[in-house]
């Protein structure tokens, strides 16, 4: 099986670096970008299974980015990740088509599990 | 389903292929909603209940937890609840909309508990110190307000100065858009690890240090500094100190957590102010709040800026012995120079014990004081070698001691509690008050028989010779653990749980380790230091000022050996000395804390279950008052929706393919998605069982054909037999001519999902299951009703099958002759076995109702079923079936 392709989008550079490192260790194919705009550009050029998206980012925020991703790449599954935990933004995210909504702090294994499930779903989306 | 018929009719006239495709798409969509929705609903139910369980677990306060954890779990539970409501509404559009409202109101209540309480704002940025009273403490913190009050009521000298109010500090953070970012970082990294704590602390502090002071505050500070400079002939030097609000929370002392900057020139006051505000997020402060259950919002900083007074002698006065509050004496620790080193726990100091009544000096310990702290000519303070002639003389005269005692007792009187007083004696001989606050007493361990019997036991088992003797009891008790030296922050990061901390000095920066340490030993430091007070608060035995501890224990430290510290008697032993180890102190520090209180508040809206009876009239969306109610309601209704949905009549026909296992069978298969090995080809009219890759169907099928159906039971009412369809589990018997009552049997499948609708004569049953890798999404539901026999017999059959299913862990409900059974959340292996059981029952209970009149026969059938199932189970597990019992049954397969 080819590696699962994950894109992490977070304006916090350090977090992105750490995330990439941790998930590459767990044998995922992970890329990181630091804005919604960059995420959309990356998705235009590259095939991705799961996007992990920070809710709050300067410029194009997570929910806007989510909407654009779902519009342009409906088979890609999106997991929202946030430190500004609120049920309201979670509900918005899920309603806009996010696969899952994870509040920081999270356990790596827990998030990995959720990424794997989102991947399963995106595989089904593609009819594979 | 009428609309489905219409839809099909509309297709007539178009090409068959086109029609089939559209029909299949419709069917798929219908099942996608049905299957996915229920699957997600079941999963969300698990997730929400797990979050509730975790919250309940926190409530027991066995381990410390913070707001971030409560918030994360509440959000998780509520999100899962929302998911359930959403999926239920997808399954039955329009029927359960009210649940959104119920859930939203639960959410609002929870948000209200979790929200940061709004603070009252005061317009003043600064307040002069000498005009403060305790009424100001909401803006200035208790410590500084007391200074002002002591000045006004007792005429005690206090340094000239002003306070930057808590409101001004908040405005400073707001001005830089920091509060939201701080909350986010706290939420993100709560108590992840020691390293995480240090990193979080450094991020937060540097954010604050980089922030800009608003111009209004800058002007007000400048005015005050100008006023103070006017009173002093020399260039103004300041002590910039924290004064936190909320120090009274839950008896918390916050000892030594915040920053103080001494001897600051006025042009650097702004930086010192920022450093003090930032010290709210020092590692010790963060760890302390976490372990004591104090919310970030419970602590507000205000900052005192006081004229720096050079001290001849400085020290700390306790108006009671913190370890023995019942004793009638005051304790004074003193050094030459500034008292900073006593507070930091690093100084060797003189100690005096004075009786409260009579004010007699009852103990006098004069130390060898090699160093003293003085103001650096530039900025800050330095340690310098003390004048040789002063090193061994007491730093206080008896007169000064008595004067200090007098001041202490008066402060105690004004503030109505024992006091912890930081004082200096100025070069001119006058006593000045630097700080004063209520003295903290350690929570007394519940004195028990164990404690009292300890000495007796010691007599019976004389102790071996201690490794070290001496020291000062900083916190009472005895404990054992692996000896670990802590010399640097790197050592602190590696410090293991329940080890004995051995350090050179009692530095406040080791305070975060006390939540993990079994005991503390230091070479320097007094019981009046911060680390001592934190140790008492945590109930960690601590032995300070034990000379040569690091060297004396070098061997144990190298080997990581266990040592026992008896802080009460000042001794350290090799190994574990059981008689000394009294019951460890109870550390239920979270109880009664603001965070614990918050948890209780949240749970009140999440956990109670009011809707406990699904059959009651009150079982309704508008009565869902808690998250638990919503979960319960959604789950119940989701299950009902699954059981109540009538099977489609007709839509399957055009798109199904006949199942073949060597020969054509009486079953038809619809591939919803990914359920078949071979690529879909709508021209094919049959499906070979070998091409099925739907796991639940395969398991079900195994069960269905594991034991050959013995055909309709022999009954007297021969007329009924005519409507029977013969077994389809035996391919040889595939029936061509269906009776008018028989419809086809359909498997609707995807890779992990299977729905079987089957009807034999009057007998109607459905099985629906998800079998995948995630146990939380797995479920099987099984229902049947009808039958040809009379009412009584049909009810008896339902009971029999229900009993069998209950033995396999199903939840069974019987309504008259109908049976509804379900089981959720089993792992793949278990699901496989359960589906075999269900498969068997689907086939073998078909006409059981016919024979249910005779109780002997019922018992025989019951036994037969159980024997067969045991055999199927054993076969699945790879155990050979028991030797043949001579009946006509034959096990299919090998």
């Amino acid at each position: 099986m080819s590696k699962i392709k994950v894109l992490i989008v977070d304006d916090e550079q350090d977090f992105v670096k750490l995330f990439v490192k941790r998930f590459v260790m767990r044998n995922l194919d992970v890329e990181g970008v630091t804005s919604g705009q960059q995420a959309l550009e990356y998705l235009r050029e590259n095939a991705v299974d799961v996007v992990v998206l920070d809710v709050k980012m300067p410029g194009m925020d997570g929910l806007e980015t989510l909407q654009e991703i779902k519009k342009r790449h409906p088979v890609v599954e999106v997991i929202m990740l946030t430190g500004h935990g609120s049920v309201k933004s979670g509900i918005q995210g899920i309603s806009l088509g996010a696969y899952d909504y994870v509040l920081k702090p999270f356990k790596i294994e827990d998030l990995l599990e959720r990424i794997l499930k989102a991947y399963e779903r995106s595989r089904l989306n593609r009819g594979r | 389903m009428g609309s489905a018929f219409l839809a099909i009719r509309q297709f007539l006239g178009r090409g068959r292929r086109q029609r089939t495709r559209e029909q299949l798409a419709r069917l798929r969509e219908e099942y996608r909603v049905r299957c996915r929705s229920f699957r997600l609903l079941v999963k969300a139910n698990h997730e929400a209940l797990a979050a509730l369980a975790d919250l309940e677990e926190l409530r027991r306060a066995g381990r410390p937890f913070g707001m971030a954890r409560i918030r994360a779990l509440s959000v998780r539970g509520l999100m899962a609840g929302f998911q359930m409501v959403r999926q239920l509404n997808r399954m039955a559009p329009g029927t359960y909309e009210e649940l959104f409202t119920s859930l939203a109101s639960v959410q609002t209540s929870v948000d209200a508990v979790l929200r940061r309480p709004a603070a009252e704002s005061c317009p003043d940025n600064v307040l002069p110190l000498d005009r403060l009273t305790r009424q100001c403490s909401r803006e200035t913190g208790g410590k500084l307000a007391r200074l002002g009050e002591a000045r006004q009521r007792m005429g005690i000298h206090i340094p000239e100065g002003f306070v930057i109010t808590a409101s001004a500090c908040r405005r400073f953070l707001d001005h830089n858009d920091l509060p939201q970012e701080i909350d986010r970082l706290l939420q993100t990294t709560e108590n992840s690890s020691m390293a995480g704590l240090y990193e979080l602390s450094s991020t937060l502090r540097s954010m604050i240090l980089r922030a800009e002071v608003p111009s209004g505050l800058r002007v007000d500070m400048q005015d005050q500094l100008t006023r103070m400079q006017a009173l002093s002939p020399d260039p103004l030097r300041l002590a910039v100190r924290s004064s936190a609000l909320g120090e009274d929370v839950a008896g918390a002392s916050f000892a030594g957590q915040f920053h103080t900057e001494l001897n600051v020139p006025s042009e650097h006051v702004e930086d010192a102010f920022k450093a003090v505000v930032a010290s709210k997020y020092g590692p010790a402060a963060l760890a302390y709040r976490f372990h004591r259950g104090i919310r970030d919002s419970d602590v507000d900083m205000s900052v005192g800026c006081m004229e720096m007074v050079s001290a001849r002698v400085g020290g700390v006065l306790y108006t009671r012995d913190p370890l023995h509050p019942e004793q009638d004496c005051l304790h004074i620790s003193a050094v030459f120079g500034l008292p900073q080193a006593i507070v930091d726990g690093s100084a060797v100091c003189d100690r005096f014990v004075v009786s409260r009544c009579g004010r007699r000096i009852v103990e006098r310990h004069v130390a060898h004081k090699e160093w003293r702290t003085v103001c650096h000519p530039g900025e800050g303070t330095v340690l310098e070698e003390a004048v040789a002639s002063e090193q061994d003389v007491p730093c206080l005269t008896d007169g000064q001691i008595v004067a200090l005692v007098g001041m202490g007792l008066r402060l105690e009187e004004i503030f109505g509690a024992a006091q912890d007083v930081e004082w200096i004696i100025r070069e001119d001989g006058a006593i000045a008050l630097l700080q004063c606050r209520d003295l903290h007493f350690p929570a007394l361990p519940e004195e028990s028989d164990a404690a009292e019997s300890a000495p007796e036991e010691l007599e019976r088992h004389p102790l071996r010779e201690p490794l070290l003797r001496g020291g000062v009891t900083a916190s009472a008790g005895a404990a054992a653990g692996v000896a670990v030296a802590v010399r640097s922050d790197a050592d602190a990061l590696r410090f293991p749980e329940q080890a004995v901390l051995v350090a050179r000095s009692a530095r406040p920066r080791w305070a975060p380790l006390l939540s993990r340490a079994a005991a503390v030993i230091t070479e320097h430091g007094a019981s009046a230091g911060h680390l001592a007070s934190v140790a008492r608060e945590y109930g960690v035995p601590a032995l300070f000022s034990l000379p040569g501890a690091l060297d004396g224990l070098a061997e144990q430290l190298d080997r990581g050996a266990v040592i026992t510290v008896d802080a009460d008697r000042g001794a350290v032993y090799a190994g574990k000395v059981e008689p000394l180890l009294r019951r460890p102190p109870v550390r239920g520090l979270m109880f009664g804390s603001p965070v614990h209180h918050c948890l209780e508040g949240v749970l009140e809206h999440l956990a109670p279950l009011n809707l406990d009876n699904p059959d009651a009239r009150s079982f309704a969306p508008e009565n869902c008052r808690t998250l638990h109610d919503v979960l319960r309601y959604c789950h119940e209704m989701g299950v009902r929706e699954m059981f109540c949905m009538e099977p489609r009549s007709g839509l399957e026909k055009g798109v199904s393919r006949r199942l073949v296992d060597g020969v054509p069978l009486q079953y038809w298969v619809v591939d919803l998605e990914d359920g078949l090995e071979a690529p879909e080809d709508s021209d094919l009219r049959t499906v070979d069982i070998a091409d099925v890759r739907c796991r639940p169907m395969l398991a079900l099928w195994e069960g269905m054909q594991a034991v050959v159906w013995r055909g309709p039971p022999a009954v007297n009412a021969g007329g009924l037999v005519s409507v029977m369809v013969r077994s389809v589990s035996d391919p040889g018997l595939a029936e061509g001519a269906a009776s008018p009552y028989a419809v086809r049997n359909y498997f609707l499948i995807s890779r992990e999902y299977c729905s079987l609708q089957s009807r034999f004569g009057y007998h109607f049953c459905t099985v629906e299951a998800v079998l995948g890798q995630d146990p939380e999404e797995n479920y099987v539901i099984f229902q049947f009703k009808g039958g040809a026999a009379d009412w009584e017999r049909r009810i008896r059959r339902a009971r029999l099958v229900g009993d069998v299913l209950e033995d396999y862990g199903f939840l069974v409900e019987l309504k008259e002759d109908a049976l509804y059974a379900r089981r959720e959340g089993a792992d793949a292996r278990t699901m496989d076995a359960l589906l075999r059981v269900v498969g068997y029952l689907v086939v073998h209970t078909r006409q059981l109702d016919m024979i249910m009149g005779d109780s002997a026969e019922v018992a025989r059938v019951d036994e037969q079923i159980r024997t067969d199932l045991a055999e199927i189970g054993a076969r699945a597990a790879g155990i050979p079936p028991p030797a043949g019992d001579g009946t006509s049954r034959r096990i299919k397969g090998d």
Side-chain angles (χ1 to χ4, degrees), chain B residues 463-485:
Chain B
L463 292 173
R464 62 198 104 160
E465 194 55 28
L467 296 167
L468 294 169
R469 241 183 231 289
V472 175
T473 308
S475 172
V482 172
V484 175

Side-chain angles (χ1 to χ4, degrees), chain A residues 12 56 83-88 90-91 94-95 99 101-105 110 114 117 121 124 128, chain B residues 36 40 43 47 68 71-72 75-76 78-79 82-83 86 107 180 184-185 187-188 674 774 777:
Chain A
E12 228 179 305
K56 190 163 180 252
H84 293 276
S86 85
V87 180
K88 202 174 140 216
I91 285 174
I94 296 280
S95 305
Y99 172 75
Y101 179 86
V102 177
L103 196 60
K104 297 178 190 173
D110 183 52
R114 287 164 193 270
K117 281 181 193 161
R121 172 78 72 87
L124 288 176
R128 261 188 271 152
Chain B
R36 284 229 172 124
L40 289 172
K43 184 180 167 52
E47 185 148 337
R71 204 172 282 122
V75 170
R76 174 154 296 180
L78 286 164
M79 287 299 303
F82 175 74
Q83 177 74 302
R86 205 163 90 104
Q107 183 198 325
Q180 230 198 343
R184 189 184 71 80
L185 285 165
Q187 174 72 38
T188 311
D674 224 15
D774 183 359
E777 291 189 10

Side-chain angles (χ1 to χ4, degrees), chain B residues 65-136:
Chain B
F65 55 90
M67 291 302 290
R69 184 112 182 92
I70 300 179
R71 204 172 282 122
L73 288 172
S74 309
V75 170
R76 174 154 296 180
L78 286 164
M79 287 299 303
F82 175 74
Q83 177 74 302
M84 288 185 80
V85 173
R86 205 163 90 104
Q87 298 309 336
L88 183 61
N89 276 282
R90 285 202 171 160
M91 292 171 75
T95 318
Y96 301 107
E97 305 246 315
E98 246 178 289
L99 279 172
F100 284 112
T101 320
S102 309
L103 189 64
S105 91
V106 172
Q107 183 198 325
T108 310
S109 315
V110 170
D111 279 348
V113 179
L114 290 177
R115 201 178 305 131
R116 178 181 278 270
E120 267 178 54
S121 194
C122 134
D124 294 319
N125 283 326
V126 297
L127 296 169
L129 206 53
D130 54 12
R131 271 183 255 149
L132 300 182
T133 62
R134 266 176 292 174
Q135 274 66 50
C136 308

Side-chain angles (χ1 to χ4, degrees), chain B residues 601-616:
Chain B
V602 165
L603 273 172
E604 196 180 308
H605 299 292
L606 296 180
L609 183 60
N610 305 304
L611 299 191
D612 48 359
N613 179 7
D615 296 321

Side-chain angles (χ1 to χ4, degrees), chain B residues 403-419:
Chain B
L404 283 169
V405 166
M407 176 180 79
L409 292 176
R410 283 208 59 198
L411 288 168
E412 196 181 279
E413 205 174 294
I414 293 184
F415 299 122
Q419 296 294 300

Side-chain angles (χ1 to χ4, degrees), chain B residues 146-160:
Chain B
R146 281 179 188 202
L147 277 187
E149 184 150 335
R151 165 86 192 134
Q152 291 174 58
R153 293 187 45 186
M154 292 164 57
I156 292 178
H157 289 292
I158 60 166
E160 194 59 51

Side-chain angles (χ1 to χ4, degrees), chain B residues 794-841:
Chain B
R794 281 173 7 221
I795 290 177
R796 245 174 258 144
R797 176 186 60 173
R799 266 189 217 139
L800 171 68
V801 176
D803 283 351
V804 171
L805 286 167
E806 275 181 349
D807 286 352
Y808 282 92
F810 281 80
L811 289 172
V812 178
E813 244 182 283
L814 298 174
K815 291 217 170 102
E816 298 168 336
D817 68 332
L819 172 139
Y820 306 87
R822 63 187 158 94
R823 172 131 183 220
E824 290 160 18
D827 61 31
R829 229 185 128 83
T830 313
M831 284 296 295
D832 200 275
L834 293 175
L835 281 166
R836 284 163 201 258
V837 170
V838 172
Y840 169 89
L841 291 173

